[in-house]
Amino acid sequence: MSVDVLYRTTASATGGRDGHARTEDGTFEVALSTPKELGGAGGQGANPEQLFAAGYSACFIGALKAAGQQLKLKVPADTKVTATVGIGPRSAGGFGITADLVVELPGVARDEAQTLVDTAHQICPYSNATRGNVDVGLTIA
């Protein structure tokens, strides 16, 4: 598979799940902490699953907008995507993640919303990266 890269960014982490992460350009910086459910102390920091959920939800809205342009369907300004990311042991060993997206398209007819979501799922880079590797659920609220 070939990708014509239009944008590239770099971030680094130190200290693992109980450390710190930041982008190379300094526009994003976050303290990290391991959730109690994964054996950590919890705490004020974010965790990689939260960052993935935030990125996936924002990216999926972008994909909905692209799908809307392609399909000539209006995507409301107050569209909301909520991503829930889970992590746990896999039956095949190691750990895996799951993702569930709840898409709110206020005022959009159900059939049009379904078409937008299905098309966005084919466009979204996060969806393409996870396809075949991560169980992704899509729900229209």
Side-chain angles (χ1 to χ4, degrees):
M1 171 185 64
S2 177
V3 176
D4 181 17
V5 176
L6 300 176
Y7 171 75
R8 192 179 305 270
T9 188
T10 303
S12 300
T14 56
R17 285 183 166 271
D18 291 305
H20 186 263
R22 74 180 297 277
T23 57
E24 188 174 78
D25 64 6
T27 59
F28 177 75
E29 206 166 326
V30 64
L32 303 169
S33 63
T34 303
K36 290 181 181 179
E37 296 85 348
L38 296 178
Q44 297 296 314
N47 61 64
E49 294 72 35
Q50 290 170 316
L51 301 176
F52 186 78
Y56 200 165
S57 59
C59 191
F60 202 83
I61 290 174
L64 285 165
K65 290 177 180 179
Q69 288 179 326
Q70 182 180 320
L71 298 167
K72 310 246 186 296
L73 294 173
K74 185 174 178 344
V75 175
D78 56 349
T79 294
K80 180 179 176 183
V81 174
T82 302
T84 301
V85 173
I87 183 173
R90 296 176 343 127
S91 58
F95 283 79
I97 60 172
T98 61
D100 291 291
L101 303 181
V102 176
V103 181
E104 298 177 38
L105 292 157
V108 176
R110 185 89 179 161
D111 60 331
E112 289 183 353
Q114 189 65 59
T115 300
L116 281 166
V117 168
D118 291 344
T119 304
H121 193 46
Q122 296 305 309
I123 293 171
C124 180
Y126 278 69
S127 293
N128 288 326
T130 59
R131 195 172 333 287
N133 298 308
V134 174
D135 290 333
V136 177
L138 298 169
T139 303
I140 298 169

